[in-house]
Amino acid sequence: MNHDERRTGVWLVGARGSVATTAISGALAISAGMVAPVGMVTESPEFAGTALPPLGSLVFGGHDITQTPLPKRAEQLAAAGVIPADLVTAVRHDLATIDSELRGGAKGDDRRCQAEASAALAADLTGFRERHRLARVVVVNVSSTEPPAVHRPEYDSLPELEHAMAREPGVLPPSSLYAHAAFQAGCPYVDFTPSTGARLPALAALARQKAVPFAGRDAKTGQTLVRAALAPMFTARALRVLSWSGTNLLGGGDGATLADPAAAESKSVSKQRGLTAMLGDDVAGATHIDYVPDLGEWKTAWDHVGFEGFLGTRMTMQVTWQGCDSTLAAPLVLDLARLTARAHEAGELGVQPALGFFFKDPLGAEEHRLAEQYTILCDWARRL
Amino acid sequence: MNHDERRTGVWLVGARGSVATTAISGALAISAGMVAPVGMVTESPEFAGTALPPLGSLVFGGHDITQTPLPKRAEQLAAAGVIPADLVTAVRHDLATIDSELRGGAKGDDRRCQAEASAALAADLTGFRERHRLARVVVVNVSSTEPPAVHRPEYDSLPELEHAMAREPGVLPPSSLYAHAAFQAGCPYVDFTPSTGARLPALAALARQKAVPFAGRDAKTGQTLVRAALAPMFTARALRVLSWSGTNLLGGGDGATLADPAAAESKSVSKQRGLTAMLGDDVAGATHIDYVPDLGEWKTAWDHVGFEGFLGTRMTMQVTWQGCDSTLAAPLVLDLARLTARAHEAGELGVQPALGFFFKDPLGAEEHRLAEQYTILCDWARRL
Amino acid sequence: MNHDERRTGVWLVGARGSVATTAISGALAISAGMVAPVGMVTESPEFAGTALPPLGSLVFGGHDITQTPLPKRAEQLAAAGVIPADLVTAVRHDLATIDSELRGGAKGDDRRCQAEASAALAADLTGFRERHRLARVVVVNVSSTEPPAVHRPEYDSLPELEHAMAREPGVLPPSSLYAHAAFQAGCPYVDFTPSTGARLPALAALARQKAVPFAGRDAKTGQTLVRAALAPMFTARALRVLSWSGTNLLGGGDGATLADPAAAESKSVSKQRGLTAMLGDDVAGATHIDYVPDLGEWKTAWDHVGFEGFLGTRMTMQVTWQGCDSTLAAPLVLDLARLTARAHEAGELGVQPALGFFFKDPLGAEEHRLAEQYTILCDWARRL
Amino acid sequence: MNHDERRTGVWLVGARGSVATTAISGALAISAGMVAPVGMVTESPEFAGTALPPLGSLVFGGHDITQTPLPKRAEQLAAAGVIPADLVTAVRHDLATIDSELRGGAKGDDRRCQAEASAALAADLTGFRERHRLARVVVVNVSSTEPPAVHRPEYDSLPELEHAMAREPGVLPPSSLYAHAAFQAGCPYVDFTPSTGARLPALAALARQKAVPFAGRDAKTGQTLVRAALAPMFTARALRVLSWSGTNLLGGGDGATLADPAAAESKSVSKQRGLTAMLGDDVAGATHIDYVPDLGEWKTAWDHVGFEGFLGTRMTMQVTWQGCDSTLAAPLVLDLARLTARAHEAGELGVQPALGFFFKDPLGAEEHRLAEQYTILCDWARRL
Ligand SMILES: NC(=O)c1ccc[n+]([C@@H]2O[C@H](COP(=O)([O-])OP(=O)(O)OC[C@H]3O[C@@H](n4cnc5c(N)ncnc54)[C@H](O)[C@@H]3O)[C@@H](O)[C@H]2O)c1
Ligand SMILES: NC(=O)c1ccc[n+]([C@@H]2O[C@H](COP(=O)([O-])OP(=O)(O)OC[C@H]3O[C@@H](n4cnc5c(N)ncnc54)[C@H](O)[C@@H]3O)[C@@H](O)[C@H]2O)c1
Ligand SMILES: NC(=O)c1ccc[n+]([C@@H]2O[C@H](COP(=O)([O-])OP(=O)(O)OC[C@H]3O[C@@H](n4cnc5c(N)ncnc54)[C@H](O)[C@@H]3O)[C@@H](O)[C@H]2O)c1
Ligand SMILES: NC(=O)c1ccc[n+]([C@@H]2O[C@H](COP(=O)([O-])OP(=O)(O)OC[C@H]3O[C@@H](n4cnc5c(N)ncnc54)[C@H](O)[C@@H]3O)[C@@H](O)[C@H]2O)c1
Ligand code: NA
Ligand code: NA
């Protein structure tokens, strides 16, 4: 329980994106007492007794492949109604300082072999850790969603993977390369996106070998969150769900990415998986993801549930969720960074199923019901 | 675990109503293997190991103040789409047999003193128990909702209450008179409605004295059920709910009763109480109950939730629930009868907070979160 | 205005389908005074002075490729809640009589040349007309939706089409073969479905040559109907619609057909066309059609409209429509039969744009705004 | 058609309110070419040929009883997301100039006799007209909604009214006093609110005597607008509406006013009146207005329509409207000012039923159907 005095690094892959910029701006504003920590799970009373690194002790850095400076991104988010304009003004100076800690990221067309590419990324992490004399650095991937990776045999064996990486570029997709670099540098890693990331047997082996924890994947912030709260209601009441249909209307950068049917498909599949886990596999219904530019940073999700009750009577429930994606996601980045840092400090290693509360596709866990996930999370955090 | 071989009586106050008729018809049809027990909590896998009285061992009787025979009521419910028509045909004979077990109920204008009135009701219960040689009889109040009772000092003391009842008519409202009679006859009692029922200190004392359990009140089957599943999601995610507004459109007999603003008001108040318990007391928003005859036996509830996330951003969620009230309520009547019978058999007495899962206004319990209530219920049922 | 004394034939292609069975059962029940003509446009006060054939003077026949007798289909629709059960009992005898007027329809695998196939269908029509000494026979296509036809050069020229039909099977899709047979037999034709039907230049030429009117296509009964009422509101108020997104959840036979992405796609495209006509072509948004079996004969459509008002402020409207498709479609079949019969009697020939009020994709008309279409329809009906 | 060269005055009662401030800021920004005139009916193509005063020729003044300067109110509206912040910056100087044209308004506790009070208000109007050498001044009441006025016999006779006003304070409610002053000063008057305003026989007589036009009342900008577009759809399709229920959630100043049940009641009644006019008087359903502070300047309206189709089948439609009230209302203030000014120029006098398109409770008109109102408006504007 005796918490390391040194500060904790949070290294964001995709550090200039909406989620990252909102998370960093918010951490600064909350630490400065400008605004209450609404939306941060780890600031709620249940976590009062846990030994998490204080919000004010977090130091930010990250990789990105674009150059737009953080203060500029924050202004764009203010114009879109995600961050209050006066708050951006107040943290602009700190954002500029953090901006100088950001480094160029891994690009798909990198011609070096991946052993070299990974080593360069790992060097960014160790440099950051040493420069700021940090207790540890947690890497959180909040970069753009990748298309699903085609499986390669090397993914199942660490020696074979490292053999291939020593000779070739392009063995791992970027999200997995970042995970490899993190583990090499002894850093915990969190998959905030649905990308492949650490979810390969070879990388899981590396995490254990380097004694670092990891968690993922794909933060649940809207429709899936609501489904995880509502589906267990039907089960507990023995009501038979016949169909669960959904449509997501997304604006923003993420919407544009998901306008690509391949990317959207992989997101839809992961959404339906949770329903199956909670309700069984004979639930009909498709889930659509549509790009609707005028929604800006907002997302609207409509769900229609058809269910059967006593003596076969059919009934329905509909839900419309209208949320701001970055607003919902950003505090969870901070929560995950703190919890994973504490897990590392406490000696946890490998996949962390207790963090399933945060994810659509919880690595290492079968539990999808929100209330149960929350109980597991709180117990785990208290025990650490 | 060694379950009493004799059968269990279920005595329904309001036995000719929609909920009661659906519950009885369904119990018959399910016991005969005609239809699966969808909607019955106690038939789901979690309750497999519990020693509840089998559904087929239940024997039905009840009080009502109308004369419409049960088979006729069942046909009306078939016409309204609540019970399949072929199922009514199949159970018509058994319904007619049960109809002969029904007795006239307590009327508001009864001129006898209430000691006498209660004794007559209790005699109906003991007669039923002896006639069928039942292990026990559980009384469930599913009669029309009463207006809130004006408090009288006698309600707080059993001797004073019995003193008044020995001399006057009209001391207790009918729902409480039924509870008094049930306890006098050594029968467990369940308040399925929002009426006063057993919720008076004097009656709680009587239940303990007679060593019978009781539970209540106001079964949650729609909007409040959904709220109990959803409100904890906001709390767990540290999202601040600013307003929770709702409108209920009700057809049917219950809708006509609640068209009376006084009755509706008491229902609205009990609905808002759960929200306050889960979300704190600074949540704005009114809940309306409107009578809309064309909805027939159906109910539509619309909820609008305004909430605040990270850095003050405002978001909304809306839910539309379209349910058939009697379909949702009837299986819970059977669940409560079985669970309360088992509690009685196991020697439980007084208020049963573990049954809060079923109620809008759970007697003896502070917990309103559905998942937690479900865990408590399952643990309790396994332990009994 | 002096109306032909003889009765009018209504020949339904797909006569054993849900829409046809509901239309026939309803016409019988309304004519017998059993039920009010709710849903029939031509029975509303605006049409009081028009010389339409009375509902009781309609005589039904039709083609289908299945054998299920009409009384049996009507019972199935009663079980599904589309037709009241007692009404089916009352008209069962008349349905059986009509069933004996039904004939086998055109099949895709017919090996005869299409001139011969068309002549056989036309003979069914003339036989029906003569057997019942009918003033005229209107053919309405309410059979299953076909996939879009691949264009052939013969479709643009009547002589070339007839040349090809004289030698080959499979030149025209079934819906167009029925139109050809109708025109050959001197019968007006209505395309109730989105299938190709009469919408080929060669067939339009044949209709003019045979002096018969025709109309189509794809009756609007749900989402498109609502859009035709709502889209003009935005235009009249100078509000700029940025996106109009929609999801249709369909049960029933039609849903199963549209589960085929190709068929659904053609329906979606025709839906978007109306929006473009009313709102211009820079409106974003996709429209999905999903098959959700538990909805049975019901359809749920959700629409989300994103729009911009004064000074760029973004606002939204959502609509959920829950309708019974056959209930909505059937009365329009009767309306169209009566109106087209009257048009024929009045000497109208070729495409009838004034009937656009009824259709998603109004042949011969550019107007998609519902109120304007209604004004056009009423004026035309009065003038005929 | 030869339009008066001089400029037109627009005098807003409630000039420092949300609607007025948005209207003035927008007029300035549009005239300056900063933003397109989205939401302004009179800037759409249908009005291209009409001789309305150009937007840039409008000169603003007004009465209010608060002192908050216009630039400050505009900033508040920018913070609430109603007006873009950069636009407020751009027009701040002009707003300050207009602010100097605002005058103190009529207060309820004025101890002068109302003849004197009216003369003082009229002097403000004539002073404004002369100071700016305006062709005419249109008065538009956009001040806070008053409670319904208790009828007095003097309201029915102009001589008796003027007799009473010559002796007493408090004869007319403020909205009617403003109308009286406007007519005395020869100014057209528009009732944008549900307050009594010009809708008294004595004032109508005065308007005719002074040869000025007037119009009202209660601009329709949300739920009633949607109802006026949708209700005729049911009528045209002969679908029988059984119930139309609604809930309005309002934030903002208007919401706080309507939290007073008396004020809300009068608004609800006027809403239901339109439905009755369009659908007949046996439509069930209540309409609620709730104050929900977290909605800020936004309003959410939910409508549930229960209707019957062919053969008695019941169906439903739901609509959720999420609009920014001032955004929707402000452009209509400009439209009404321009149209009423033109009517005055063209010699129209007394009530103007052709402006019913804009109002919930259209004075002098029975037509509530939006499309028909629009046709009437366009025809009238072209003819003027
Ligand atoms: N917002 C939510 O509710 C939510 C929920 C779950 C998951 N996510 C995921 O979070 C991620 C970020 O979302 P966002 O809205 O911030 O998106 P965004 O497009 O605003 O930001 C993504 C950032 O990643 C950067 N990037 C792209 N490729 C990179 C690479 N190879 N290396 C380093 N940086 C790279 C981009 O330049 C950009 O700055 C997405 O993958 C999204 O699916 C978001
Ligand atoms: N359906 C639900 O979802 C639900 C949920 C919670 C509570 N409830 C409550 O259940 C109760 C029954 O609902 P319902 O839909 O069956 O109503 P209902 O009107 O169909 O039936 C009520 C029955 O009670 C009888 N009754 C009235 N006063 C009586 C008396 N003094 N003694 C004996 N019988 C009497 C009536 O004659 C009638 O037969 C209502 O109080 C309702 O509020 C229902
Ligand atoms: N219900 C609506 O609201 C609505 C609206 C617009 C259009 N429609 C169209 O109306 C049509 C009928 O709908 P439905 O719900 O009655 O469908 P359905 O499947 O119940 O009936 C279609 C009938 O057509 C018959 N059929 C199929 N191929 C045929 C052929 N070649 N010749 C003769 N008969 C044939 C089938 O055997 C069946 O009996 C569909 O095309 C549908 O798209 C319906
Ligand atoms: N926004 C809409 O969609 C809409 C639609 C129809 C009608 N309205 C009506 O428009 C009116 C204005 O709405 P708002 O949102 O601008 O309200 P608001 O409260 O922002 O503004 C009202 C203004 O009127 C002033 N006022 C009050 N009493 C006055 C008096 N006696 N003399 C002069 N000024 C007085 C107030 O000081 C305030 O500045 C309301 O009556 C509202 O009901 C609005
Ligand atoms: Na919204
Ligand atoms: Na429904």
Side-chain angles (χ1 to χ4, degrees), chain D residues 52 136 138 183 186-189 204 206-215 338-355 376-377 379-384:
Chain D
L52 302 176
R136 61 191 51 77
V138 176
F183 297 158
C187 298
Y189 180 83
L206 180 61
R208 280 189 304 274
Q209 183 184 301
K210 299 291 184 179
V212 290
F214 70 93
R338 297 172 83 189
L339 289 161
T340 315
R342 174 66 194 137
H344 187 225
E345 183 185 29
E348 300 285 329
L349 57 91
V351 68
Q352 301 295 315
L355 292 169
I376 291 168
L377 173 69
D379 289 352
W380 175 82
R382 267 183 230 112
R383 249 194 353 258
L384 271 184

Side-chain angles (χ1 to χ4, degrees), chain A residues 242-243 245 247 249 286 288 290 292 294-295 300 302 304 306 314 316 318 320 322, chain C residues 242-243 245 247 249 286 288 290 292 294-295 300 302 304 306 314 316 318 320 322:
Chain A
L242 302 172
S243 62
S245 312
T247 297
L249 309 181
H288 304 285
D290 293 336
V292 178
D294 65 281
L295 290 179
T300 295
W302 176 71
H304 179 281
R314 302 286 169 86
T316 62
Q318 296 170 60
T320 303
Q322 296 172 307
Chain C
L242 301 172
S243 63
S245 312
T247 297
L249 309 181
H288 304 285
D290 293 336
V292 178
D294 65 282
L295 289 179
T300 294
W302 175 71
H304 180 281
R314 301 286 169 88
T316 62
Q318 297 171 59
T320 303
Q322 297 172 306

Side-chain angles (χ1 to χ4, degrees), chain A residues 13-20 63-66 73 105-108 141-145 174 178 192-195 218-221 253-254 257-258 267 297 299 325-326 328-329 360:
Chain A
V13 180
R16 302 186 195 282
S18 300
V19 171
H63 284 122
D64 205 311
I65 56 172
T66 57
R73 282 294 288 129
K107 291 201 173 164
N141 179 18
V142 287
S143 67
S144 315
T145 297
Y178 283 114
F192 202 84
T193 81
S195 303
D218 203 3
K220 67 177 170 235
T221 54
D254 206 29
T257 305
L258 294 171
K267 198 116 185 175
E297 295 286 327
K299 172 159 76 180
D325 258 5
S326 301
L328 290 160
K360 288 196 191 70

Side-chain angles (χ1 to χ4, degrees), chain B residues 242-243 245-247 249 284-296 300-302 304-307 314-316 318 320 322, chain D residues 242-243 245-247 249 284-296 300-302 304-307 314-316 318 320 322:
Chain B
L242 302 171
S243 62
S245 312
T247 297
L249 310 181
T287 297
H288 304 285
I289 304 184
D290 293 336
Y291 176 43
V292 178
D294 65 281
L295 289 180
T300 295
W302 175 71
H304 179 280
V305 186
F307 63 98
R314 301 287 169 89
M315 297 170 279
T316 62
Q318 296 170 61
T320 303
Q322 296 173 306
Chain D
L242 301 172
S243 63
S245 312
T247 297
L249 310 181
T287 297
H288 304 285
I289 303 183
D290 293 335
Y291 175 44
V292 178
D294 65 280
L295 290 179
T300 295
W302 176 71
H304 178 280
V305 186
F307 63 98
R314 303 285 169 85
M315 296 169 280
T316 63
Q318 295 170 61
T320 302
Q322 296 173 307

Side-chain angles (χ1 to χ4, degrees), chain B residues 267 292 367 369:
Chain B
K267 198 118 185 173
V292 178
E367 182 62 80
R369 295 172 299 169

Side-chain angles (χ1 to χ4, degrees), chain C residues 13-14 16-20 63-66 73 105-106 142-145 174 178 192-194 218-219 221 253-254 267 325-326 329 360:
Chain C
V13 180
R16 301 185 194 284
S18 299
V19 172
H63 285 122
D64 205 309
I65 56 172
T66 56
R73 283 293 289 129
V142 286
S143 66
S144 316
T145 297
Y178 284 114
F192 202 84
T193 81
D218 203 4
T221 55
D254 207 30
K267 198 116 185 174
D325 257 5
S326 301
K360 286 196 193 72

